[in-house]
Amino acid sequence: MLDYVLAFERGGAILWALQFTSLRHNPLEAINALIRGCLLEERLGDNTFTFNPKSGAPQTLKWTFHNGLGLVFVAVYQKTLSLLYVDELLTNVKEEFVSVYKPGQRGYRQFDETFNRLLRDAESRADAAKKQPVMRSGPPANAKQGTQAVGAQAKKGTQAGKDDDDTGAARKGAANGAVGNTSDGSAGGEDGDHSGGEDNVRAFDVSKLPKGMAGRGARGVRGRPVPGAGGAKVSDSGKKKEDAPAPKVKKARNWNTMLSGGKGDTPTRIDYTEEGDGPGTGASDMDLVSGASASATEDEGRGVGVSRMDVEEDEYDDSEFEDDEDINNGAGRAGSGAGASGSAAAAPKKQGLLASFVNSLAMNVVGKAALSRADVEPALAEMKRKLMERNVAEEIAAQVCDSVGRNLEGQRLAGFTGVAAFVRNAFEEALSGILNKRSVDVLLDIKKSQARGKPYVIVFCGVNGVGKSTNLAKIAYWLGSHNIKCMIAACDTFRAGAVEQLKTHCARLRVPLYERGYEKDPAKVAYEAVRQAEKDGVHVVLVDTAGRMQDNQPLMRALSNLISMNNPNLVLFVGEALVGNDAVDQLTKFNKSLSDLAPTTAGAGGPGGAGEGTGAVGRGQADGSALTRRHGGVIDGIVLTKFDTIDEKVGAALSMVYTSGAPVMFVGCGQTYVDLKKLNVKSVVKSLLK
Amino acid sequence: MAELSLNSPEVQIALLVVVATLLLIAVLTLFSGGKRGSAVLLVGPCNGGKTTLFYRLKEGSAGLGTVASMQENEGMVQVRNDKDRVVGSVRVMDLPGHPRLRSKLEQYLKDASAVVLVIDSVELTPNKTEAAEDLFEVLTHPTVARRRTPVLLACNKADLETQAHSVDFCRRTIEKQLDTMRKTRLALGGEAGRALSALGKGDKPLQLAALRSPISVGEISAEKGEVAEVMRFLAKMV
């Protein structure tokens, strides 16, 4: 039986509510959790949401929108019941309500009867339908896309409870099989699921494999663009972009000087092993910390040695330049030249020219017709392709497009805007919303911990080779420039040379290093480091851990142990911007393993990033840091590295933020100490939609 | 040129056309929503009671309750003075408090004639950072600083007497938060430097009363309808 049904406006006012059972908690808590955790996070593609109240059984929420009037209808019921008629019921309720609705009126007592009648009808239909076998349509569609979709796994997880479905067991098997594969998600690859129980998977057909790298689609091997194209496009506008200012093409190093008799450039200094000083200046260690070292990147004219976190980005108004760039883009890239105009023109071709002309005229000029799914479809497909071209993980692109599509259905265009522009606006808002997360003010939190006399502990985790140690050193440099005393704890006791690498950094930054050599338990090393820091009055402890693959259970367990034992204030996941579809997998598995495998789990967190309410491991609040668990998951922030290697393919930022719900706190954009900056959301959104 | 007199049909037609065009433009502007013009903004962290306050001001009742807003609400509010007579009406806009929708704040601050920051005086301490951040963003916005837009810090949920903190306590907590934020943001330099002058000099602890924009503080209860402070504030805008 349903617990609670609700109709409310998008602006927040409740129009009509009906409560069936009395619960110990306020039913509005569930609704608020739904709004904050799901509807506002562009996860409209999921169609159920689970809420775990502090007292009582978990509840499932289902919803539907009426975008034309801006209304939302939600039904709440116990999770253990599997009510099949709720979706239908909600659709019927929506239609009936719209006929009764008067804008400005709140309180529709007369609707109770109508609702009860609809409920009775729906229940009786459901009883009748139970006599026939139930067909599930959701998950096989996902599997058919050949992706080991996170969304599918999450659905499989929540539907595991409702196993009135005989293929449920097979699906679980598929999920386990899928976990083992690295989700590279290439466009041609439908070779993912090997498990036999899955309905629509064919046996692995070798002949279907794409030849060589061609099958990877528009993204190429690692999506590195040709520097020439980037330079030509931007040089006209003459503005400084954050990632790659126009003239900044990296000069290829000519190695002929190394060989005798070769003609090459005069060797600029690349060997720094001896004097241990900064690049290119011949200065001593002193100058490095005091900020006199010039950066090895080609930034000219900036103050020496100031970390790029503290340098303000040029927030330029790009609206004037959009047209120029569009023209340039059209000329520069033949393939995507068709672009948005092509998609808008393609759809009407099916309908017949006159009808389509009248239709588009009606929509664009008069602005009366409500948008239907078919109208937005081509524009959505185009946006999805664009996003994937920009290195956004395929499933994330699909989910975002789906969610925006649902938001747009039924809305009316304002006069004189075309469908493509409208869709683009909606995307811009959605993407800005996803990326604009309330980021932890690190400096503020550090000051708070300082006041308490406890060191602020930051743990860096991630897979192998993403740049943890390098970016850790950059952050130490940045903190040092704000007069914050840090200490580095070398808890990577596995990789050869890890401790020496940190020793070198510490010598140059003049920061104390706590290390116990190799083959020691990292959790204990971290623990002792924090004790030592407290004794020495150090403000921040930066803990470097070994890189580990997200599937490696023993290592994830060890990391989880480290985190729970030391209760760090901030857990940063370091991910490289070059990663493609694997970003989703990495983050989900990290979040999940860290909360599931922790030795003392206080109600292990739900599917990474989706739920709110049950925090993962209870930490962060005890010592008064301002971290509130809004996104449910252990990872508090993301460090996005190697950002200078991608020009516009900035999609990894979107995939990571969407999956984990954590904000991007630092962006590493080079290999020297000053190459650290904040994520410029406007510029990223602009690159994604270009 | 001798034929140009008001009686000749050509001139009459031309005038007619001009008048018709002007009428059309006027009609279109009016019907296209008239979004220009100043409004009073209701801002603040999630769950502070902004939407409840909005409906209380607009309709005089709290209705069936509210949930977290996903979208802004806009409406005209009849402003009554202390003697309960209507002195005018003001356009009020209720912005959602969710962090994801905070970009709207910047957008609407440009046209704001006044800002009401609604905070929850019961759950003050867990939300003080967010409240202070919102206030910080409002005060350091260039338009607000330039126009010296008046700001009202409304401590809501005063009806829960024992649990709600006093107005003074709320004010001092926010002041302290702003002070710390001012120090850390100043350290970051750059753009913040200009805007921070709106928050006064860094040597003395921050006092809300000492800042350039006129800031007042008051306690209200949107649920119970005790919104006199906000009404008085709005009356100044009319």
Side-chain angles (χ1 to χ4, degrees):
Chain A
M1 290 312 298
L2 293 176
D3 283 345
Y4 195 65
V5 191
L6 187 64
F8 59 94
E9 288 177 343
R10 286 183 75 102
I14 297 180
L15 296 173
W16 171 77
L18 201 55
Q19 192 164 355
F20 290 94
T21 58
S22 62
L23 306 148
R24 262 173 286 173
H25 63 270
N26 187 355
L28 291 183
E29 276 179 33
I31 311 286
N32 280 331
L34 169 74
I35 295 179
R36 290 187 196 133
C38 184
L39 300 183
L40 281 176
E41 297 279 340
E42 295 292 338
R43 281 173 205 280
L44 301 177
D46 316 342
N47 56 6
T48 60
F49 176 80
T50 311
F51 171 67
N52 296 305
K54 291 193 204 53
S55 59
Q59 298 180 304
T60 309
L61 291 93
K62 278 192 189 262
W63 65 90
T64 181
F65 285 101
H66 189 284
N67 286 319
L69 297 170
L71 303 175
V72 188
F73 300 86
V74 181
V76 186
Y77 54 94
Q78 294 293 313
K79 186 172 166 200
T80 47
L81 308 172
S82 63
L83 301 177
L84 305 167
Y85 55 79
V86 183
D87 286 315
E88 241 193 276
L89 175 67
L90 279 175
T91 329
N92 293 338
V93 168
K94 176 166 69 171
E95 285 162 17
E96 294 279 335
F97 194 84
V98 170
S99 52
V100 195
Y101 174 66
K102 277 188 278 291
Q105 178 186 340
R106 303 201 295 157
Y108 293 82
R109 284 280 107 204
Q110 68 277 23
F111 195 70
D112 290 354
E113 294 180 32
T114 330
F115 176 76
N116 281 323
R117 178 177 46 89
L118 288 172
L119 181 61
R120 276 193 301 266
D121 290 341
E123 276 176 344
S124 53
R125 252 176 306 180
D127 286 333
K130 258 193 200 152
K131 312 282 176 30
Q132 304 160 14
V134 176
M135 298 259 289
R136 287 246 182 226
S137 55
N142 278 341
K144 213 181 170 180
Q145 288 167 6
T147 58
Q148 295 77 28
V150 172
Q153 282 183 3
K155 270 192 214 157
K156 288 170 194 170
T158 53
Q159 286 174 0
K162 315 179 188 169
D163 50 1
D164 48 346
D165 182 5
D166 48 342
T167 57
R171 201 163 294 109
K172 270 197 205 156
N176 285 337
V179 162
N181 300 334
T182 52
S183 48
D184 220 10
S186 59
E190 287 200 84
D191 52 354
D193 294 333
H194 290 277
S195 53
E198 197 60 37
D199 301 335
N200 298 313
V201 169
R202 295 166 277 290
F204 188 23
D205 193 347
V206 183
S207 60
K208 283 213 188 112
L209 267 185
K211 304 264 184 296
M213 294 300 194
R216 291 222 186 195
R219 270 175 291 130
V221 178
R222 273 243 156 153
R224 281 184 229 246
V226 179
K233 209 176 355 164
V234 184
S235 56
D236 313 18
S237 50
K239 286 278 189 177
K240 187 166 79 143
K241 277 191 179 181
E242 64 157 53
D243 297 336
K248 232 172 81 160
V249 178
K250 265 196 175 159
K251 226 171 38 136
R253 195 180 283 281
N254 190 329
W255 292 103
N256 278 333
T257 49
M258 302 301 151
L259 312 168
S260 54
K263 291 188 271 221
D265 325 317
T266 11
T268 50
R269 192 199 159 101
I270 54 173
D271 178 10
Y272 302 116
T273 47
E274 287 314 316
E275 293 138 34
D277 55 356
T281 58
S284 64
D285 275 336
M286 304 268 185
D287 294 337
L288 186 73
V289 178
S290 67
S293 69
S295 118
T297 58
E298 294 83 2
D299 280 341
E300 65 278 67
R302 241 185 332 101
V304 288
V306 176
S307 182
R308 280 164 68 179
M309 280 287 283
D310 303 333
V311 173
E312 184 55 27
E313 303 282 336
D314 269 345
E315 303 273 11
Y316 57 96
D317 183 5
D318 47 19
S319 56
E320 311 148 8
F321 289 88
E322 249 176 34
D323 298 312
D324 294 350
E325 286 176 352
D326 280 338
I327 295 172
N328 287 337
N329 285 351
R333 284 187 265 164
S336 56
S341 59
S343 64
K349 271 192 189 127
K350 295 184 204 151
Q351 294 175 16
L353 282 176
L354 189 62
S356 69
F357 180 65
V358 172
N359 204 15
S360 60
L361 202 63
M363 270 204 293
N364 296 353
V365 177
V366 183
K368 283 229 177 85
L371 285 174
S372 70
R373 195 67 200 233
D375 294 327
V376 248
E377 227 20 271
L380 280 186
E382 172 67 23
M383 291 309 303
K384 181 175 169 203
R385 192 189 60 80
K386 224 186 252 198
L387 286 180
M388 280 174 55
E389 242 177 50
R390 300 276 184 276
N391 204 23
V392 178
E394 199 251 327
E395 53 218 55
I396 304 296
Q399 282 185 32
V400 172
C401 288
D402 191 23
S403 152
V404 175
R406 277 169 207 248
N407 253 333
L408 288 177
E409 246 178 282
Q411 280 197 27
R412 285 172 167 60
L413 289 179
F416 295 105
T417 48
V419 180
F422 194 65
V423 170
R424 199 202 141 91
N425 268 343
F427 261 97
E428 214 172 296
E429 268 190 45
L431 293 177
S432 307
I434 296 176
L435 289 170
N436 256 327
K437 298 258 173 202
R438 190 160 249 154
S439 171
V440 175
D441 194 348
V442 184
L443 293 176
L444 196 62
D445 282 348
I446 292 176
K447 289 232 163 20
K448 280 203 201 130
S449 293
Q450 231 174 300
R452 248 167 253 272
K454 288 203 176 288
Y456 191 84
V457 183
I458 306 180
V459 172
F460 291 79
C461 62
V463 302
N464 311 63
V466 291
K468 290 185 287 300
S469 308
T470 314
N471 284 280
L472 187 149
K474 288 186 209 168
I475 292 178
Y477 179 75
W478 174 65
L479 291 174
S481 66
H482 285 283
N483 296 325
I484 295 177
K485 283 192 275 188
C486 1
M487 180 164 109
I488 300 185
C491 295
D492 184 354
T493 53
F494 178 69
R495 198 190 84 206
V499 180
E500 277 71 29
Q501 180 183 11
L502 288 178
K503 271 196 193 133
T504 315
H505 281 305
C506 287
R508 292 164 72 179
L509 295 170
R510 294 196 298 157
V511 157
L513 172 71
Y514 188 89
E515 54 96 2
R516 284 281 167 269
Y518 294 97
E519 308 278 330
K520 299 288 185 301
D521 180 15
K524 286 218 187 69
V525 176
Y527 188 79
E528 288 161 22
V530 174
R531 297 291 145 258
Q532 181 72 34
E534 217 174 319
K535 260 186 274 173
D536 293 342
V538 166
H539 304 148
V540 179
V541 178
L542 300 163
V543 178
D544 185 24
T545 61
R548 60 205 73 212
M549 290 306 291
Q550 65 268 25
D551 301 327
N552 193 328
Q553 262 222 15
L555 290 184
M556 295 307 295
R557 197 181 294 271
L559 182 63
S560 162
N561 192 21
L562 188 151
I563 290 180
S564 60
M565 209 162 109
N566 293 296
N567 224 6
N569 302 72
L570 197 63
V571 175
L572 291 179
F573 176 83
V574 184
E576 53 182 12
L578 302 160
V579 73
N581 289 324
D582 203 29
V584 175
D585 198 49
Q586 282 177 18
L587 265 167
T588 332
K589 297 251 180 69
F590 261 83
N591 253 330
K592 191 160 183 301
S593 316
L594 290 180
S595 56
D596 286 351
L597 300 177
T600 56
T601 45
E612 198 210 344
T614 54
V617 186
R619 36 168 284 254
Q621 297 287 6
D623 52 2
S625 69
L627 291 177
T628 43
R629 271 304 128 70
R630 280 187 219 103
H631 44 266
V634 181
I635 296 192
D636 302 313
I638 298 177
V639 179
L640 195 60
T641 62
K642 308 186 191 169
F643 206 69
D644 52 322
T645 55
I646 51 171
D647 272 343
E648 320 168 307
K649 300 201 191 287
V650 295
L654 184 70
S655 319
M656 288 198 223
V657 173
Y658 189 84
T659 317
S660 66
V664 173
M665 294 179 56
F666 299 101
V667 175
C669 47
Q671 301 190 42
T672 63
Y673 289 126
V674 298
D675 293 317
L676 187 72
K677 48 183 188 176
K678 291 186 274 259
L679 185 73
N680 186 341
V681 177
K682 285 201 192 103
S683 138
V684 169
V685 172
K686 194 165 149 307
S687 307
L688 284 174
L689 293 176
K690 216 191 307 185
Chain B
M1 285 306 212
E3 295 143 10
L4 259 181
S5 67
L6 271 174
N7 293 328
S8 70
E10 292 96 1
V11 180
Q12 279 175 342
I13 292 174
L15 276 175
L16 209 61
V17 170
V18 168
V19 169
T21 322
L22 286 173
L23 263 175
L24 192 65
I25 292 176
V27 161
L28 277 177
T29 349
L30 278 176
F31 279 166
S32 72
K35 299 283 184 219
R36 306 256 140 216
S38 305
V40 178
L41 302 183
L42 299 180
V43 302
C46 256
N47 216 23
K50 301 180 286 298
T51 310
T52 320
L53 178 64
F54 176 77
Y55 279 105
R56 175 65 71 176
L57 289 174
K58 186 161 136 209
E59 293 171 9
S61 76
L64 287 171
T66 56
V67 291
S69 308
M70 287 192 275
Q71 183 177 300
E72 59 272 15
N73 292 316
E74 196 187 330
M76 299 296 288
V77 169
Q78 310 276 53
V79 180
R80 295 165 185 280
N81 65 1
D82 286 336
K83 297 183 203 61
D84 216 22
R85 247 178 333 126
V86 178
V87 288
S89 65
V90 161
R91 194 160 72 95
V92 176
M93 194 165 239
D94 160 39
L95 301 180
H98 192 91
R100 192 201 160 213
L101 299 162
R102 282 185 85 221
S103 52
K104 301 214 181 232
L105 178 62
E106 230 192 272
Q107 203 184 321
Y108 288 112
L109 268 178
K110 283 191 229 135
D111 293 328
S113 64
V115 178
V116 178
L117 183 80
V118 183
I119 55 177
D120 185 348
S121 38
V122 174
E123 299 279 328
L124 178 67
T125 321
N127 291 328
K128 62 181 176 178
T129 332
E130 294 178 29
E133 272 182 31
D134 280 341
L135 188 57
F136 186 87
E137 202 173 314
V138 168
L139 288 175
T140 53
H141 193 265
T143 319
V144 171
R146 200 171 16 100
R147 284 203 214 156
R148 315 237 179 137
T149 316
V151 177
L152 171 69
L153 183 67
C155 305
N156 198 8
K157 309 202 185 169
D159 49 304
L160 303 166
E161 286 152 39
T162 47
Q163 297 165 7
H165 297 280
S166 72
V167 175
D168 254 353
F169 181 78
C170 297
R171 184 178 51 83
R172 271 179 292 140
T173 319
I174 301 285
E175 275 177 357
K176 266 191 243 153
Q177 272 297 116
L178 271 183
D179 205 18
T180 336
M181 283 178 72
R182 184 176 58 178
K183 288 203 197 93
T184 48
R185 303 276 172 113
L186 242 173
L188 295 177
E191 131 273 354
R194 270 179 292 114
L196 278 175
S197 57
L199 289 176
K201 298 212 201 340
D203 44 356
K204 286 179 295 177
L206 192 145
Q207 296 262 345
L208 283 183
L211 297 178
R212 265 197 253 153
S213 312
I215 304 184
S216 39
V217 192
E219 69 171 1
I220 60 170
S221 166
E223 184 104 347
K224 298 285 180 245
E226 292 154 22
V227 292
E229 297 272 351
V230 182
M231 272 297 176
R232 252 176 266 148
F233 183 71
L234 291 179
K236 291 190 222 146
M237 297 303 128
V238 173

